[in-house]
Amino acid sequence: SSLQLKRHLSDCPWARSAMLGRRELARLGACAATHGATGGHTRGRVAALTAPLCRRWAACSGLSEHVRQPSAAIAAASREQYAADGAVVLRGVISEAWLKHLRGAAEEALARPGPQAEQLAKPPGFYFSDLELAERLEPFRRFALDGPCGAIAGEVMGSSEVCFLYDQYFHQRYEAGDATNAVVKTPWHQDQPYWSVDGTDVCSVWVPLDPVPLESAVSFLAGSNRWGMFSPRHFATGKSYEGTGMPAVPSLDGHERLAWSTEPGDVIVFAGMTFHGQEDARRVQGQFRRLSVRYTGDDARFCRRSGEAADVIPSKYHPCDLQPGDPMRCARFPQVWQRPAA
């Protein structure tokens, strides 16, 4: 019956791990009715119908690869590398349908910048950044909550559940004639000191929308996820935030650097405590768009930062009602993924 189908979809690890949200499950139920999945089916028969119905739903929705299972591409070696180095690249885990969706979202981000939008490069360069897009632009929210990155984060961190923290969009563009004068310099920094969250199960999933050659890639310092927490820095000047109570970032020369060229469909997953940046001045050419989606896992807890880091994430524009020590799951930081029962 339709009730059996609804119960199966709610319990189905495949449906959950494929990142079908409530709206998608409702639409899948409607698709089931349209395509004849009603009346008198046994539980086994309902289960047998689920996968093809999900694919029919995907075709109806226009996201033909929406239900791709990303965890199949995440081997134990990737999880081990993330734990050891604090960063890992995964190849081909974002479908072309989602990439097309994000490219449309990127155009909306430029057309409708938020209150935290910044221009990080001086002319002739163009380096746009904006925060918390999912809180105000539906295409970004759909990807953050219903896309594959929550499952990717959960598998890489080894967590039993994942909550969405926030997202950030970056757009760098340098025309051929300007590239020789366009210097890109991002100071070494950790992300987590900017955020009101403690714990080791905190990560970012970088989703490139354009090819990024190695010479233009951001670098990560291997193992720096275990070095402790250092002060946030202003990107424009490299100066430490004031009033945080954290030590300044020390000299980081001589440490092993990790960097990868990437193609659309790849992601880089890195811990909130991993140092990364483009400390060495680089000259780049072309367009580099990427979305960074941040998630928390099992041991993450809300905390309060001080000084200039007090209201970065969550910002004053999109606050939460958590208290220090609370688990992160709440209306502001919703659960997006739960590990299927064995």
Side-chain angles (χ1 to χ4, degrees), residues 1 7-8 11 31 35 54 61 75 105 111 116 130 162 174 196 223 232 265 289 293:
S1 69
R7 286 174 176 169
H8 174 74
D11 295 338
C31 181
H35 292 282
C54 288
S61 71
Q116 300 178 88
D130 203 355
V162 169
Y174 301 97
S196 295
R289 296 168 295 174
V293 196

Side-chain angles (χ1 to χ4, degrees), residues 4-12 15 25 28-29 50 54:
Q4 286 177 311
L5 177 62
K6 181 177 179 181
R7 286 174 176 169
H8 174 74
L9 292 173
S10 298
D11 295 338
C12 178
L25 289 174
L28 183 55
T50 301
C54 288

Side-chain angles (χ1 to χ4, degrees), residues 19 21 23 140-147 164 295 334-336:
M19 291 307 300
R23 294 189 303 275
F140 287 96
R141 189 162 189 83
R142 184 178 183 190
F143 181 77
L145 302 190
D146 298 334
F164 170 59
Y295 295 98
Q335 183 192 70
V336 298

Side-chain angles (χ1 to χ4, degrees), residues 7-21 25 28 43 50 54 66-71 145-148 150-152 155 160 335-342:
R7 286 174 176 169
H8 174 74
L9 292 173
S10 298
D11 295 338
C12 178
W14 184 87
R16 288 201 307 271
S17 60
M19 291 307 300
L20 295 177
L25 289 174
L28 183 55
R43 182 173 179 82
T50 301
C54 288
H66 179 89
V67 294
R68 173 186 289 191
Q69 168 55 284
S71 62
L145 302 190
D146 298 334
I152 291 171
E155 293 290 354
S160 61
Q335 183 192 70
V336 298
W337 180 81
Q338 187 173 15
R339 185 171 299 280

Side-chain angles (χ1 to χ4, degrees), residues 178-199:
D178 298 332
T180 56
N181 299 314
V183 176
V184 174
K185 188 172 183 178
T186 304
W188 292 114
H189 67 283
Q190 302 163 303
D191 284 344
Q192 200 165 334
Y194 295 85
W195 310 334
S196 295
V197 56
D198 280 334

Side-chain angles (χ1 to χ4, degrees), residues 11 26 31 33 82 86 129 133 148 179 187 195-196 211 214 236 242 291 299 338:
D11 295 338
C31 181
Y82 172 83
S129 174
L133 297 100
W195 310 334
S196 295
L214 187 61
E242 295 183 358
L291 180 67
D299 76 350
Q338 187 173 15

Side-chain angles (χ1 to χ4, degrees), residues 114-118 128-136 166-170 195 294 312-313 315 318:
Q116 300 178 88
E118 292 184 279
F128 172 86
S129 174
D130 203 355
L131 309 178
E132 296 183 315
L133 297 100
E135 303 307 310
R136 56 188 181 82
Y166 83 106
D167 57 350
Q168 185 169 8
Y169 176 65
F170 300 91
W195 310 334
R294 281 69 189 255
V312 179
I313 296 296
S315 72
H318 305 287

